[in-house]
Amino acid sequence: MSRQLESWAQERRERPRVRVTWFSDVFGFAGSLFGLCHRRPQGAPPKAPTQRLRLGLTDLQKTPNLLQLLTWRLDYQVAGLDALSGLQPPVIFAVNEAGVLDWQVLRAVLPSGLRATIRTPSRSLARGNSVVLFTEDPVVDGEVGEFTPLAAQLASQYNVPIVPVALVGTFKLNEVLGLALQNKPHVSVRFGSPIYVRGRSLAEATGELQSAVGQLFHTGDLSWWTVQHRRADDQPAAEAMPRWRRLWQQTTPRVARTRRRIWRRPSTRRG
Amino acid sequence: MSRPGFVLEVDEKTPPLLTLSGADLRLERFGVGTRVAYPADSVASEDPVGLIDAALESPVGAEPLPSTLDRSTKLTIVVRDDKQPEPRMRFDVRRSILERVLEHAARAGVDDVQIVIATGLNRRWSRPEISKILGDRVATSFIPDGLISSHDVTAEDLVTIGDVDGVPVRLNKRVAESDLVVSIGVASDHTSGCGLALGLTDTETINRLEGLYADRATTDRITRIVYDAVPTFAVTAVLGQPLLGTSLSFLNKREWEWRLPDQFAFATARQLVSALTKRGSQKLFGNPLADYAISDMIGGDAALVRQQAREAWMAANSVELPGSADVLAVSVWGSSFDNGNPVGSPINAAHDALVEQAGSHAGTPLVREGGVLIARHPLSRNFSNRTQSAAADLFAKVLPETLDPEVIRERFEGAASLDPWYLALYREHYANHPLKVFHTWYRIREATNRLGDVIWVGGDRRSAAVLGHRAATTFADALEIASNTVGSHPDITHLHGPGQLLGVVR
C-alpha cells in the first residue's frame, strides 16, 4: 500500500440492526389523512389524469380460468401467449369457428384485462373493450372458414391490431363432451403475431389474416420466422374427409413428456 | 402527455421528501431554500408499432427501409447494448423494432439474416437473456441455427476496416461482410457515443474512444470509418422516465400526490429493507422492471439519427435551474446503475453520482468549479464475483496504491486487459470486460478533480477513503464538513431520483 489512508478510515464493523419502522412510517402519514388531503407545495404543478396500461407478462396466464366449469372438462394447450405481451387494449381477436363451444373455450384463456366480448363489436371498440370475431361456417367441416372483411374494417376504423387465433380440437366438442371418455378432450389455443391494418386495403389485410389463422391451425409448431417466410408460398390445402376421420385426426394423442424416474424399472428383456 | 420536470424551492410548509441511499428509503426534511429538481413525470408506454412504421417508412437522410430490401441482401440486424437504461425495460422496445424489421425482411424474401448484439465491453448476452429480451419468436427462430451472436471484443476473427494514425480499426466479421446493417437502439441519456463503434470493434479501438487519452478528433475519425465500412440504417427510440411496478409505485409519484396504496407501499418497502436487510432489498429491488414511454422514434442515416435522438431526449427531459449550485446533493439508488445488485458496488455508485447525475447537463455544470457533491450511499464493498471481478480487484489492490489515472494506466491496465482469468470470465461466463472498470475510474477521477470535495452520507469510511473521498454520518454533518469549502450558507440543489434529468443552467 503506497497510499496512506487516514487513521480514522475504518471499515464499518457493526452488524445492521433490525428495526421496526412500519408503524412509525404509517402513523407519520396521518398528517395528510393517509393521502386524502395533501398540501401541494408552492411551485409544484397540479396532477395529470391516469392512463391505460399495456399487457405485461404477469397479466398473461397460461392456466385457463378455473372458475369456468368447462375448463375442468378439457385438456388445454395454449401457445403463443408471448405475442400478446406489450399490446395495448383494445384488440380484435380473429378466431376460426368450428363449433358452438368456441367462445367458452377461448374466454377461459384470454386475459381478463382485455374485457373481450362478442356482442356489438363497433360499440365495444369505441368504449375500449376488446372484441372477438369468428369466421363464417367452414365449407369443409372441421377446417378453417372464411373471414369477412369486417375484422379488417373495424381494425382500420379504430386503429387497433388484429390478433389471429386458431382453435384446434373444438370440432363437435359439445357432442364429444356428451360421451363418457377415459381422457379429457385436447383443445389447443394458438395465438399468432398481431396484424396491423394501416394503410392497406381491406382485401389484402383479410387475406393475410386468413393465411395466418390457416397456418396456425395446420402447422402450429413451425417457428415464427419460417411461417412468415413461407406465408405466400405453400398454403396447406383443405381436403374434404368424412366426419369420423376429422375427429380421429383431432384426437391424435399428444407426445406426453415422460415423467423422469430416478429408479428405472428393470426392463423385462434384460437378464 | 407527461408533465415536464420542475424545480421546487423548499419552504417551511414543504412535506418531507424521498431520498434513496443504496437500497434504503427515507423521507427527510430539507432545509429552507434548498432547490429540489424533479425529473419529468413517468407515464406508461403505448404500443409503439405506429411509431416504428413511421420511422422505417419516413427516415431521415436515407431511403425507406422496405425499398432497400430484396432477396439477395445479406442483412445483419445489430441490437445496440452499450448503454441500457437501468432499471431494465419491461417492454423492451428493441424487441418490437426487431420484430417489425424482420416482418419487412420476410415480406421482401430476404434469406440471409443474422442478429448481432453489440455489447462492447459490457456483459455479453446469454441464451436465456436473449429469449427474455428479444422474445420467444426471435429466439426460437434464430438461436437453434446459431444466427444470433453477442459480439466478443477479444475474438480473433475481427476484420480490419481501416486505420487511424497507423493503428488498425477492427470490426465484427459478420457486420463487416454484410450488404446492409440495421442498427436498433435506445436513447435514454444525453451522451452521444456511437453505439456501433463502441459495441462492435476491438479492445484497442474502444480504448482510443473511451480510454484515458481519448480526444474528439480521433473519435470522429474512427466513427466515420465504421459508418463508411457498411451501409447502415439506424432506428433509435427516445425513452422517457421509468414507471415502476406496484410494489414501488411511490417512486413514480411526487410525495404530495401519494395516496394510501403508495404510502403503504413505502412503509412496507422501508420495513422489508430494515428488517431483512440483504434479503429484503434483494426481493424488492433485485431486478425491478420499469415501463418507459417512447417520446420519439427516429430512423435513417446513422449519424443523423444519433444526433437527433440525443436532441430529442434532451428536449423532453430538461429541467431549467436558476444557477450553478455550491452544493449538489444526489440520491444514489442501487437499481438505477447496477443490474441485479440492489445496493450497488462502490465504484459504480461513484460513477453514477459524479458522472451520470452530476454530469447530466447541457454545457454549464450543475455545481460550480470547486463546489461540493454530497451523495447518499452506504459504499459497502459488494462486488459480483462473476461479473465485476476486475472491479473488485481494482478496488482492493490498485486504488490503495494510487489514484492517479496515468499511473494506473501505465502499470495496471495492460496486465488486466490480458489477464486470462478476466478474459475467461468475459468470454464464457458473461462478465464485464476488465477494461470497463478502468474507463469508469478515469471518468470518476476527471469529475472529482473539478470539485472541491465529495462527501458520502452514510458511507463506509474506509471505502470513501480508498476512493479519495470523504464520509459523513448525516446530511447535516456533511454540510458542516462542506462549510470549509463553500461557506455556511451555500446554494444547495438536490436532484430527486429515480430518473435521469438534464439540468439546463440559465
Side-chain angles (χ1 to χ4, degrees):
Chain A
M1 278 235 326
S2 19
R3 270 177 69 205
Q4 188 92 18
L5 293 184
E6 292 87 352
S7 61
W8 64 82
Q10 310 275 345
E11 220 176 298
R12 194 178 6 227
R13 290 211 192 277
E14 83 251 356
R15 216 176 293 163
R17 283 171 308 162
V18 171
R19 295 170 297 148
V20 177
T21 54
W22 196 89
F23 298 101
S24 51
D25 285 338
V26 170
F27 292 146
F29 291 126
S32 65
L33 286 184
F34 298 107
L36 286 177
C37 69
H38 271 293
R39 209 185 296 131
R40 186 161 36 101
Q42 265 202 344
K47 242 184 110 130
T50 48
Q51 282 181 319
R52 198 79 176 270
L53 295 174
R54 288 160 82 178
L55 280 180
L57 287 175
T58 43
D59 307 311
L60 303 170
Q61 303 291 343
K62 262 189 120 151
T63 320
N65 183 9
L66 294 174
L67 293 174
Q68 258 182 270
L69 289 179
L70 186 60
T71 315
W72 294 91
R73 304 201 54 194
L74 296 174
D75 184 1
Y76 271 90
Q77 187 184 49
V78 182
L81 261 184
D82 189 53
L84 296 183
S85 87
L87 275 190
Q88 193 179 11
V91 157
I92 296 179
F93 289 98
V95 199
N96 65 307
E97 169 140 32
V100 298
L101 290 177
D102 283 350
W103 172 225
Q104 298 302 325
V105 164
L106 185 61
R107 253 176 83 182
V109 185
L110 288 181
S112 53
L114 288 175
R115 282 187 252 158
T117 90
I118 48 175
R119 300 160 56 191
T120 60
S122 193
R123 203 178 290 179
S124 313
L125 284 173
R127 287 212 192 112
N129 301 333
S130 300
V131 152
V132 176
L133 296 172
F134 289 96
T135 57
E136 294 174 350
D137 278 339
V139 169
V140 179
D141 254 353
E143 289 285 346
V144 180
E146 297 271 325
F147 280 102
T148 59
L150 176 66
Q153 186 185 334
L154 286 174
S156 74
Q157 182 182 347
Y158 289 99
N159 205 16
V160 294
I162 311 179
V163 177
V165 188
L167 283 181
V168 179
T170 53
F171 179 60
K172 301 290 180 201
L173 187 64
N174 52 331
E175 293 180 19
V176 167
L177 287 175
L179 310 167
L181 298 170
Q182 295 276 3
N183 298 315
K184 296 183 196 168
H186 298 309
V187 166
S188 182
V189 184
R190 301 167 186 169
F191 292 90
S193 51
I195 297 171
Y196 294 87
V197 180
R198 219 171 262 108
R200 278 194 275 178
S201 75
L202 295 187
E204 195 193 318
T206 313
E208 193 183 326
L209 172 62
Q210 187 75 47
S211 70
V213 176
Q215 289 280 2
L216 284 168
F217 186 82
H218 290 286
T219 49
D221 41 22
L222 279 183
S223 84
W224 170 73
W225 174 248
T226 327
V227 166
Q228 292 279 313
H229 220 56
R230 285 211 217 148
R231 213 171 19 186
D233 305 340
D234 32 66
Q235 189 58 275
E239 47 160 320
M241 55 172 88
R243 216 185 82 169
W244 76 268
R245 266 186 65 195
R246 178 75 57 202
L247 287 166
W248 186 253
Q249 208 177 52
Q250 183 172 289
T251 51
T252 319
R254 282 204 201 115
V255 178
R257 252 189 261 147
T258 50
R259 279 185 57 207
R260 277 192 220 119
R261 296 179 192 280
I262 302 173
W263 308 109
R264 279 188 302 147
R265 232 181 254 144
S267 165
T268 48
R269 263 198 272 157
R270 274 200 215 145
Chain B
M1 223 36 244
S2 67
R3 294 178 292 178
F6 75 105
V7 175
L8 173 71
E9 186 119 358
V10 173
D11 56 23
E12 298 87 12
K13 298 209 179 103
T14 310
L17 303 177
L18 181 72
T19 58
L20 301 147
S21 164
D24 279 320
L25 301 157
R26 215 163 285 179
L27 281 173
E28 274 181 27
R29 278 205 185 273
F30 285 79
V32 171
T34 309
R35 287 191 291 264
V36 183
Y38 280 84
D41 243 358
S42 343
V43 284
S45 65
E46 295 178 349
D47 205 343
V49 178
L51 284 171
I52 301 174
D53 280 335
L56 295 179
E57 268 140 43
S58 329
V60 291
E63 292 299 312
L65 183 66
S67 64
T68 56
L69 295 170
D70 68 57
R71 278 189 179 277
S72 59
T73 313
K74 199 168 175 190
L75 177 67
T76 302
I77 308 182
V78 170
V79 177
R80 280 176 285 156
D81 194 47
D82 54 310
K83 269 207 137 187
Q84 241 196 85
E86 297 282 352
R88 292 284 165 96
M89 292 181 265
R90 192 170 160 220
F91 303 113
D92 203 315
V93 65
R94 295 174 296 181
R95 167 185 166 170
S96 314
I97 304 176
L98 180 61
E99 287 175 357
R100 219 56 199 137
V101 170
L102 285 172
E103 275 184 32
H104 283 292
R107 214 174 285 149
V110 180
D111 282 326
D112 193 353
V113 180
Q114 278 198 31
I115 303 177
V116 175
I117 302 166
T119 43
L121 295 180
N122 294 330
R123 296 181 346 202
R124 300 171 67 220
W125 288 12
S126 57
R127 282 190 182 186
E129 227 178 317
I130 293 178
S131 304
K132 201 163 80 139
I133 298 179
L134 297 182
D136 285 346
R137 281 181 263 164
V138 168
T140 50
S141 309
F142 289 87
I143 291 185
D145 295 325
L147 298 172
I148 300 191
S149 58
S150 226
H151 176 69
D152 182 348
V153 291
T154 58
E156 270 101 38
D157 62 352
L158 298 180
V159 171
T160 308
I161 51 169
D163 68 86
V164 174
D165 299 331
V167 185
V169 174
R170 296 161 70 212
L171 193 67
N172 182 283
K173 182 167 185 282
R174 168 73 197 190
V175 171
E177 294 168 356
S178 313
D179 295 330
L180 176 65
V181 167
V182 176
S183 153
I184 299 174
V186 297
S188 58
D189 56 19
H190 70 291
T191 55
S192 63
C194 170
L196 290 179
L198 287 169
L200 290 173
T201 47
D202 62 318
T203 339
E204 285 78 37
T205 313
I206 300 181
N207 215 357
R208 281 189 299 164
L209 287 168
E210 277 207 320
L212 189 53
Y213 301 120
D215 67 293
R216 197 57 200 271
T218 319
T219 312
D220 286 341
R221 284 168 69 188
I222 296 177
T223 315
R224 189 51 23 216
I225 291 180
V226 169
Y227 284 154
D228 290 339
V230 155
T232 311
F233 187 99
V235 184
T236 303
V238 178
L239 300 182
Q241 298 293 333
L243 181 80
L244 290 145
T246 25
S247 53
L248 301 175
S249 61
F250 54 92
L251 287 173
N252 305 324
K253 299 186 193 166
R254 298 166 183 175
E255 290 79 352
W256 53 93
E257 288 165 7
W258 286 5
R259 292 276 170 263
L260 186 63
D262 309 307
Q263 291 171 342
F264 264 45
F266 170 79
T268 314
R270 191 144 178 259
Q271 179 64 86
L272 278 177
V273 171
S274 313
L276 297 178
T277 50
K278 204 165 177 180
R279 211 181 301 154
S281 54
Q282 185 67 37
K283 251 181 150 43
L284 268 182
F285 303 130
N287 257 316
L289 291 174
D291 197 6
Y292 290 85
I294 300 167
S295 42
D296 206 353
M297 182 104 54
I298 310 169
D301 173 63
L304 279 176
V305 165
R306 200 171 110 216
Q307 182 204 349
Q308 288 192 12
R310 176 172 179 251
E311 282 165 12
W313 187 88
M314 286 169 63
N317 291 289
S318 57
V319 175
E320 204 178 288
L321 293 166
S324 278
D326 297 318
V327 173
L328 183 70
V330 296
S331 287
V332 180
W333 185 42
S335 302
S336 67
F337 57 88
D338 230 341
N339 182 250
N341 186 346
V343 178
S345 63
I347 295 186
N348 285 351
H351 184 262
D352 182 70
L354 284 159
V355 179
E356 282 173 30
Q357 289 199 55
S360 182
H361 57 77
T364 322
L366 300 179
V367 57
R368 65 168 171 84
E369 185 95 18
V372 173
L373 176 83
I374 301 183
R376 293 175 171 84
H377 194 269
L379 288 183
S380 33
R381 269 189 322 168
N382 51 356
F383 293 91
S384 161
N385 267 334
R386 178 175 60 89
T387 58
Q388 295 171 326
S389 199
D393 288 340
L394 182 95
F395 194 79
K397 302 200 178 103
V398 175
L399 293 184
E401 291 256 345
T402 173
L403 295 174
D404 192 352
E406 303 194 354
V407 175
I408 291 180
R409 183 173 197 275
E410 211 180 284
R411 286 172 59 188
F412 300 103
E413 192 188 281
S417 304
L418 299 169
D419 185 87
W421 176 238
Y422 295 152
L423 291 183
L425 284 176
Y426 169 72
R427 285 191 194 117
E428 282 130 46
H429 298 282
Y430 311 109
N432 289 322
H433 193 275
L435 203 54
K436 185 161 178 339
V437 71
F438 286 89
H439 293 174
T440 309
W441 179 250
Y442 303 150
R443 299 284 96 73
I444 294 174
R445 209 57 208 157
E446 261 168 45
T448 313
N449 288 339
R450 267 199 69 247
L451 297 169
D453 231 338
V454 178
I455 308 174
W456 294 90
V457 174
D460 181 73
R461 283 185 201 285
R462 191 172 186 283
S463 302
V466 166
L467 288 173
H469 303 156
R470 306 169 78 156
T473 321
T474 60
F475 190 65
D477 286 339
L479 283 174
E480 199 160 330
I481 299 176
S483 65
N484 286 333
T485 325
V486 292
S488 31
H489 299 281
D491 272 327
I492 311 178
T493 297
H494 176 81
L495 298 182
H496 194 272
Q500 182 98 313
L501 60 86
L502 183 87
V504 177
V505 177
R506 246 189 274 141

